């Protein structure tokens, strides 16, 4: 079975500081990995996805993530946080044989950006 | 392009009533997913369809829940009878296929009194 673990349910950073949200995955096959963002009272929006083309993936709003097979990690980073980045972030994995396009989500990390 | 459209956005009803949530996926997408989000349990996949056929309904909590997809452009999630513990935000999502990202609607916030 596939799974993802997001370390830290709440992360707080200062505006302009580095954002680092951690995600580790478990998969018996090469996975597809995704980061989604959810703003209050909205659905999930795709930030970026990894599908084996390149290990460093750039997404929207200045976010990027690096796939590290040796560490089974797919951490999300942004060099400089902005107040508008405050939201909940979800890591997800898919690609299990016979799993169709089913996504398994992590429990989410709430990002707070302070002045 | 229109995204995934869900209706209603909010629903408040009394325990025991039937509730029907609706979803229109993005045109051309072959997969449709129903999720439930609560503070306690996070995001849970309830059921998903491929080409209008239910593939995996192992996440449907009880027989009170049912989902249909009569055609490629419409799906419903029905709860009958509803209970207070069904209160949650229900999301519909659609995607092109394996490896493609899922596109989410804005959700239906359901409150059962």
């Amino acid at each position: 079975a596939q799974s993802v673990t997001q370390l830290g349910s709440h992360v707080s950073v200062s505006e302009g500081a580095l954002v680092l949200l951690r995600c580790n995955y478990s998969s018996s096959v090469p996975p597809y990995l995704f980061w989604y963002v959810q703003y209050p009272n909205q659905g999930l929006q795709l930030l970026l996805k990894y599908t084996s083309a390149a290990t460093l993936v750039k997404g929207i709003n200045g976010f990027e993530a690096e796939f590290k097979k040796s560490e089974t990690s797919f951490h999300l980073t942004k060099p400089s946080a902005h107040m508008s980045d405050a939201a909940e972030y979800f890591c997800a994995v898919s690609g299990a044989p016979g799993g169709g396009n089913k996504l398994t989500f992590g429990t989410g990390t709430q990002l707070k950006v302070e002045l | 392009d229109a995204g995934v459209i869900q209706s209603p956005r909010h629903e408040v009803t009394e325990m025991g009533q039937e509730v029907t949530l609706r979803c229109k996926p993005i045109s051309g997408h072959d997969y449709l997913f129903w999720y439930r989000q609560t503070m306690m349990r996070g995001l849970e996949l309830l059921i998903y369809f491929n080409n209008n056929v239910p593939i995996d309904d192992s996440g449907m909590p009880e027989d009170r829940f049912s989902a249909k997809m009569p055609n490629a452009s419409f799906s419903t999630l029905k709860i009958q009878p509803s209970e207070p513990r069904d209160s949650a935000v229900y999301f519909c999502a659609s995607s092109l296929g394996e490896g493609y990202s899922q596109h989410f609607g804005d959700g239906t916030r359901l409150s059962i009194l």
Side-chain angles (χ1 to χ4, degrees), chain B residues 78-106:
Chain B
K78 189 173 292 188
I79 308 173
Q80 167 63 20
S82 58
E83 296 182 5
R85 59 192 167 123
D86 302 331
S87 298
V89 182
Y90 291 81
F91 288 104
C92 176
S94 69
S95 76
L96 278 169
E98 193 162 337
Y100 288 87
S101 57
Q102 292 183 19
H103 297 255
F104 283 74
D106 284 335

Side-chain angles (χ1 to χ4, degrees), chain A residues 2-57:
Chain A
Q2 295 182 313
S3 66
V4 290
T5 302
Q6 291 185 241
L7 297 174
S9 59
H10 292 81
V11 170
S12 185
V13 300
S14 299
E15 190 174 34
L18 172 72
V19 175
L20 170 61
L21 304 181
R22 300 179 187 272
C23 173
N24 288 89
Y25 70 91
S26 173
S27 177
S28 59
V29 297
Y32 300 114
L33 292 160
F34 305 81
W35 275 100
Y36 282 85
V37 60
Q38 185 178 29
Y39 298 102
N41 300 316
Q42 293 186 25
L44 279 71
Q45 178 184 355
L46 180 70
L47 273 179
L48 51 82
K49 67 178 182 181
Y50 167 77
T51 56
S52 79
T55 56
L56 183 62
V57 182

Side-chain angles (χ1 to χ4, degrees), chain A residues 103-115:
Chain A
L103 281 175
T104 300
F105 283 92
T107 51
T109 297
Q110 188 73 42
L111 176 65
K112 183 178 179 181
V113 182
E114 299 173 318
L115 286 171

